[in-house]
Amino acid sequence: MKHTFFKRVLPFAVTAAALAAMQSCKPKGAQSAVGGDAASKVYVAPGKYDEFYNFVSGGFSGQMSVYGLPSGRLFRVIPVFSVDPEKGYGYSEESKAMLNTSTGFIPWDDLHHIALSTTDGSHDGRWAFGNANNTPRIARVDLKTFRTAEIIEIPNSAGNHSSPFITENTEYVVAGTRFSVPVGDKQDVPINTYKDNFKGTVSFIGVDAGSGRMNIAFQLLLPGVNFDLARAGKGKSHGWFFFSCYNSEKANTLLEVNASQKDKDFIIAINWKKAEEYVKAGKGQKKAVKYAHNVYDEATHSATSTIENEVIVLDPNELPDMVYMMPCPKSPHGCDTDPTGEYIVGSGKLAATIPVFSFTKMQEAIAAKNFEGEYDGIPVLKYDAVLHGEVKKPGLGPLHTEFDANGFAYTSFFVSSEIVKWNVKTLEVVDRVPTYYSIGHLCVPGGPTKKPWGKYVIAYNKITKDRYLPTGPELAQSAQLYSIDGDKMKLLLDFPTIGEPHYAEAIPADLLMKNSQKIYKIEENKHPHATLGDNNAKVVRKGNEVHVYMTSIRSHFTPDNIEGVKLGDVVYFHVTNLEQDWDIPHGFAVKGANNAELLIMPGETQTLTWKPDRTGVFPFYCTDFCSALHQEMQGYIRVSAAGANVPLTFSTGKTEPAAETK
Ligand code: RUQ
Ligand code: CUA
């Protein structure tokens, strides 16, 4: 049970039956789930392509993984917030800066949610965003290269959970703080002064329409609650953003009890167009902060990290008509807007119903000032005035909702382990299927967009007890694929996933395939230590640094014999892969190095640093099976004593003895 709220839900599960279901983790009918034609529905014949890419959060692995649907085959793990020895990410000198933060290099984080970029509310296939939950950050992955292109840290935030949801044209990705914290100059305060000193923030991170470059456009200073999830308005509600929050009790201890006192928490509605106006009019306050902004440059194949010092903060207590609160039962997780943008669904983990709010009614209630009061100076709209209606008796522990193109919603139920399909207008439940077990998020391809692609709903489960071969105390994390083509949902496939899958998105394959990058052009390689051709390979000493300008091409390194390195030297292997063929990376590793290998794409340059700690001759080799002579792709580097007078030499294909060695 990886997810913290499991613990929180437990004592409050509404009925005894629910408790029983949770403890056994086994809904009825567990065995009878798969229909006879399921296999053919997920069979992708050898050599054929899948229909969708599924981008799945890797949870506490810190990465994003990419599966094909309907087959469930794993295609790639994209390193984002954690080092990845398979690809050298976080180990190569070029990539280290990607993991820099205001507190230095951090090799790990916890990625919960994915957002695929959209234009006019529909997937455009350009970028995937992910959140770092522990040290607040947002990453942008380039879907041409399936590589992390940028990471920006979020100041005044702690536990960046309510993130990275996006607006209709990817104007902004947002970051809502899970933990409220002391904000401003006074940070060192007693924890039990929470109610006075702790604040929540949400940040709007602008995304440049051309380059994708992120910048923190502004932050809103909000009450000290816990922000959970969010969705942008779309269509008629474009210009608004909706955030679910819990702990409106503002508890600072034993939240499982103390943050579950009130019947209702809130969905916070933010008019971000209004916020933009305030920023333009100079109404925001510039606050001193410190955060890292890391960018990977495709021309130099290198990341740089810049520490930024300022953020613009807007205070809704001083700037009216920007923030409203809608009461929402009880500790809402999901906060989802339907494809039309009219309906906002709050999934309260401890609630017995699913409230569906109407954007039109919300606008009317705001115009009529139909408020039931204030919360920290922010107007609270009357529940009945903004409610479209409630889905009655839907299940236990509603968590997250997605939509198809036909007016139906699909809600995951963590406690009762099921997906429930209901009609968004009439609020009638029309179908339900069990999940195995304890589903968290779910995903309908295009489900959060204006144009759902539909066809499947995928469950991302917390527990797989008895579904897979046992693998010791921890079992595989898992997803399940259901068809939603007909009136009834049908289970088609279980497939294991990496890390803990939280949220995921799926996008039609043809939107990405055609753009996929095959090589880095060697003539465009602007890496300062690139070696553009075998003839330019060399070894250069600079004080106690030895720079090896090395090339790799099937199936040798140039140079492959290096002498004259001395103890106390630091050796930099700058390896340029000269290949210009798709899918021909070379690897590089040297014996005794205290980091991982390099994996160098065609046309790319990457650097491995090595500080030898003893004298001798050390082999290096290519780690990626690149040709029939891959096993021959190797070399030696000799390390002599600090005072030795072995000259610096390098060669490839030379058999005569090197310069004398004393
Ligand atoms: S969440 S179900 Cu942190 Cu959205 Cu996990
Ligand atoms: Cu190059 Cu193996």
Side-chain angles (χ1 to χ4, degrees), residues 80-96:
V80 183
F81 294 116
S82 298
V83 297
D84 181 354
E86 187 198 27
K87 297 160 194 87
Y89 182 81
Y91 296 98
S92 70
E93 294 310 304
E94 288 78 1
S95 61
K96 281 179 180 170

Side-chain angles (χ1 to χ4, degrees), residues 375-388:
Y375 184 87
D376 282 13
I378 296 172
V380 178
L381 294 155
K382 280 200 182 124
Y383 181 66
D384 291 329
V386 292
L387 191 72
H388 162 60

Side-chain angles (χ1 to χ4, degrees), residues 203-215:
S203 307
F204 283 72
I205 291 97
V207 180
D208 184 87
S211 66
R213 271 269 191 148
M214 298 187 282
N215 75 292

Side-chain angles (χ1 to χ4, degrees), residues 3 112-113 161 229 333 399 440-441 462 502:
H3 205 266
H112 282 217
H113 306 119
H161 196 267
L229 291 177
H333 198 63
L399 194 144
H441 281 276
K462 301 301 176 192
H502 293 258

Side-chain angles (χ1 to χ4, degrees), residues 2-5 57 59 110-113 131 133 160-163 165 178 228-229 333-334 399-400 412 414 438-442 460-462 500-503:
K2 303 283 161 19
H3 205 266
T4 46
F5 89 75
S57 84
D110 183 15
L111 192 161
H112 282 217
H113 306 119
N131 67 318
N133 201 39
N160 178 36
H161 196 267
S162 192
S163 181
F165 303 97
R178 170 172 163 203
D228 204 337
L229 291 177
H333 198 63
L399 194 144
H400 168 223
S412 59
F414 176 78
S438 299
I439 177 176
H441 281 276
L442 47 67
Y460 301 93
N461 301 316
K462 301 301 176 192
E500 181 188 8
H502 293 258
Y503 185 49

Side-chain angles (χ1 to χ4, degrees), residues 552 554-555 557 585-587 622-627 630-631 633:
S552 62
R554 280 162 289 180
S555 297
F557 292 107
H586 291 287
C622 170
T623 49
D624 185 302
F625 202 110
C626 49
S627 74
H630 152 79
Q631 197 71 349
M633 195 164 174

